[in-house]
Coordinates of all heavy atoms in Angstrom, one line a residue:
K624 N 0.8 -1.2 0.1 CA 0.0 0.0 0.0 C 0.9 1.2 0.0 O 1.9 1.3 0.8 CB -0.8 0.1 1.3 CG -2.2 0.9 1.0 CD -3.2 0.6 2.3 CE -3.7 -0.9 2.2 NZ -4.6 -1.1 3.3
G625 N 0.6 2.2 -1.0 CA 1.3 3.4 -1.0 C 2.4 3.4 -2.0 O 3.0 4.3 -2.4
R626 N 2.8 2.1 -2.3 CA 3.9 2.0 -3.3 C 3.4 1.3 -4.7 O 4.0 1.7 -5.7 CB 5.0 1.0 -2.8 CG 5.6 1.4 -1.4 CD 6.7 0.5 -1.0 NE 6.3 -0.8 -0.7 CZ 6.8 -1.8 -1.3 NH1 7.8 -1.8 -2.3 NH2 6.4 -3.1 -1.0
F627 N 2.5 0.5 -4.7 CA 1.9 -0.1 -5.8 C 0.6 0.4 -6.3 O -0.2 0.7 -5.3 CB 1.7 -1.6 -5.7 CG 3.0 -2.4 -5.5 CD1 4.3 -1.8 -5.4 CD2 2.9 -3.8 -5.6 CE1 5.5 -2.6 -5.2 CE2 4.1 -4.6 -5.5 CZ 5.4 -4.0 -5.3
T628 N 0.3 0.5 -7.6 CA -0.9 1.1 -8.0 C -1.5 0.0 -9.0 O -0.7 -0.2 -10.1 CB -0.9 2.4 -8.6 OG1 -0.3 3.3 -7.6 CG2 -2.2 3.0 -9.1
I629 N -2.7 -0.5 -8.9 CA -3.3 -1.2 -9.9 C -4.2 -0.3 -10.9 O -4.9 0.5 -10.2 CB -4.1 -2.4 -9.3 CG1 -4.6 -3.4 -10.4 CG2 -5.2 -1.9 -8.5 CD1 -5.1 -4.6 -9.9
S630 N -4.3 -0.6 -12.2 CA -5.2 0.1 -13.0 C -5.5 -0.8 -14.2 O -5.0 -1.9 -14.3 CB -4.5 1.3 -13.5 OG -3.3 1.1 -14.2
R631 N -6.4 -0.4 -15.0 CA -6.9 -1.1 -16.1 C -7.3 -0.3 -17.3 O -7.6 0.9 -17.1 CB -7.9 -2.2 -15.8 CG -9.3 -1.4 -15.5 CD -10.3 -2.4 -14.8 NE -10.3 -3.6 -15.5 CZ -10.9 -4.8 -15.2 NH1 -11.3 -4.8 -13.8 NH2 -11.0 -5.8 -15.9
D632 N -7.1 -0.7 -18.5 CA -7.5 -0.1 -19.7 C -8.5 -1.1 -20.4 O -8.0 -2.0 -21.0 CB -6.3 0.2 -20.5 CG -6.7 1.0 -21.9 OD1 -7.9 0.9 -22.2 OD2 -5.9 1.6 -22.5
G633 N -9.7 -0.7 -20.2 CA -10.8 -1.7 -20.9 C -10.7 -1.8 -22.3 O -11.2 -2.8 -22.9
T634 N -10.3 -0.7 -22.9 CA -10.2 -0.8 -24.4 C -9.1 -1.7 -24.9 O -9.1 -2.2 -26.0 CB -9.9 0.6 -25.0 OG1 -8.6 1.1 -24.5 CG2 -11.0 1.6 -24.5
K635 N -8.1 -2.0 -24.0 CA -7.1 -2.9 -24.3 C -7.1 -4.2 -23.6 O -6.3 -5.1 -23.8 CB -5.7 -2.3 -24.1 CG -5.4 -1.0 -24.8 CD -4.1 -0.4 -24.5 CE -3.8 0.9 -25.3 NZ -2.5 1.5 -24.9
N636 N -8.2 -4.4 -22.9 CA -8.4 -5.7 -22.2 C -7.2 -6.0 -21.3 O -6.7 -7.2 -21.2 CB -8.7 -6.8 -23.0 CG -9.9 -7.8 -22.5 OD1 -10.5 -7.4 -21.6 ND2 -9.8 -9.0 -23.1
T637 N -6.6 -5.0 -20.7 CA -5.3 -5.0 -20.0 C -5.4 -4.4 -18.6 O -6.1 -3.4 -18.4 CB -4.2 -4.3 -20.8 OG1 -4.1 -4.9 -22.1 CG2 -2.9 -4.4 -20.2
V638 N -4.7 -5.1 -17.7 CA -4.4 -4.6 -16.3 C -3.1 -4.3 -16.1 O -2.2 -5.1 -16.5 CB -5.1 -5.7 -15.3 CG1 -4.9 -5.2 -13.8 CG2 -6.5 -5.9 -15.5
Y639 N -2.8 -3.3 -15.3 CA -1.4 -3.0 -15.0 C -1.1 -3.0 -13.5 O -2.1 -2.8 -12.6 CB -1.2 -1.5 -15.5 CG -1.4 -1.3 -17.0 CD1 -2.6 -0.8 -17.4 CD2 -0.5 -1.7 -17.9 CE1 -3.0 -0.6 -18.7 CE2 -0.8 -1.5 -19.3 CZ -2.0 -1.0 -19.7 OH -2.3 -0.8 -21.0
L640 N 0.1 -3.1 -13.1 CA 0.6 -2.9 -11.8 C 1.8 -2.1 -11.8 O 2.8 -2.6 -12.2 CB 0.8 -4.3 -11.1 CG 1.2 -4.2 -9.6 CD1 -0.1 -3.8 -8.8 CD2 1.7 -5.6 -9.1
Q641 N 1.7 -0.8 -11.4 CA 2.8 0.1 -11.3 C 3.4 -0.1 -9.9 O 2.7 0.1 -8.9 CB 2.4 1.5 -11.5 CG 3.4 2.5 -11.3 CD 4.5 2.4 -12.4 OE1 4.2 2.4 -13.5 NE2 5.8 2.6 -11.9
M642 N 4.7 -0.5 -9.9 CA 5.4 -0.8 -8.7 C 6.6 0.2 -8.5 O 7.4 0.3 -9.3 CB 5.9 -2.2 -8.7 CG 4.8 -3.2 -9.0 SD 5.5 -5.0 -8.9 CE 6.7 -5.0 -10.2
N643 N 6.5 1.0 -7.4 CA 7.4 2.0 -7.0 C 8.0 1.7 -5.8 O 7.5 0.9 -4.9 CB 6.8 3.4 -7.0 CG 6.2 3.9 -8.3 OD1 6.6 3.4 -9.4 ND2 5.2 4.7 -8.2
S644 N 9.3 2.3 -5.5 CA 10.0 2.1 -4.3 C 10.2 0.6 -3.9 O 9.8 0.1 -2.8 CB 9.2 2.8 -3.2 OG 9.1 4.2 -3.4
L645 N 10.6 0.0 -5.0 CA 10.7 -1.6 -4.8 C 11.7 -1.9 -3.7 O 12.7 -1.2 -3.6 CB 11.0 -2.2 -6.1 CG 9.8 -2.3 -7.1 CD1 10.2 -2.5 -8.4 CD2 8.9 -3.5 -6.6
K646 N 11.4 -3.0 -3.1 CA 12.3 -3.6 -2.0 C 12.8 -4.9 -2.3 O 12.0 -5.7 -3.0 CB 11.5 -3.5 -0.6 CG 10.9 -2.2 -0.3 CD 10.1 -2.4 1.0 CE 9.4 -1.0 1.5 NZ 8.6 -1.2 2.6
P647 N 13.8 -5.5 -1.8 CA 14.2 -6.9 -2.1 C 13.1 -7.9 -1.6 O 13.0 -8.9 -2.3 CB 15.5 -7.0 -1.1 CG 16.0 -5.7 -1.1 CD 14.8 -4.7 -1.1
E648 N 12.3 -7.5 -0.7 CA 11.2 -8.5 -0.2 C 10.1 -8.5 -1.3 O 9.2 -9.3 -1.1 CB 10.7 -8.1 1.1 CG 10.4 -6.7 1.4 CD 11.5 -6.0 2.0 OE1 12.7 -6.0 1.6 OE2 11.1 -5.1 2.9
D649 N 10.1 -7.6 -2.3 CA 9.1 -7.7 -3.4 C 9.4 -8.7 -4.4 O 8.8 -9.0 -5.4 CB 8.9 -6.3 -4.0 CG 8.3 -5.3 -3.1 OD1 7.4 -5.6 -2.3 OD2 8.9 -4.2 -3.2
T650 N 10.7 -9.3 -4.3 CA 11.1 -10.3 -5.2 C 10.2 -11.5 -5.3 O 9.9 -12.1 -4.1 CB 12.6 -10.7 -5.0 OG1 13.4 -9.6 -5.1 CG2 12.9 -11.9 -5.9
A651 N 9.7 -11.9 -6.4 CA 8.6 -12.9 -6.6 C 8.3 -13.2 -8.1 O 8.6 -12.2 -8.9 CB 7.4 -12.7 -5.7
V652 N 7.6 -14.2 -8.2 CA 6.9 -14.4 -9.5 C 5.5 -13.6 -9.3 O 4.8 -14.0 -8.4 CB 6.7 -15.8 -9.9 CG1 5.9 -15.9 -11.3 CG2 8.0 -16.4 -10.1
Y653 N 5.2 -12.8 -10.2 CA 3.9 -12.1 -10.1 C 2.9 -12.6 -11.2 O 3.3 -12.7 -12.3 CB 4.1 -10.6 -10.4 CG 4.7 -9.8 -9.2 CD1 6.1 -10.0 -8.8 CD2 4.0 -8.9 -8.5 CE1 6.6 -9.5 -7.7 CE2 4.5 -8.4 -7.3 CZ 5.8 -8.6 -6.9 OH 6.3 -8.0 -5.8

């Protein structure tokens, strides 16, 4: 919370995840 933002573009049938201020503990398969 406060670092990641989820959004979507319905015209493109696409969802996004903007990830800022990344930390080593964010390492994973998404």
Side-chain angles (χ1 to χ4, degrees):
K624 204 170 292 183
R626 300 187 298 123
F627 291 10
T628 303
I629 188 171
S630 62
R631 66 192 309 165
D632 184 337
T634 65
K635 298 180 180 178
N636 223 17
T637 300
V638 176
Y639 304 97
L640 185 68
Q641 177 67 43
M642 305 186 296
N643 299 328
S644 302
L645 282 161
K646 305 175 181 180
E648 51 263 43
D649 294 319
T650 295
V652 177
Y653 283 72

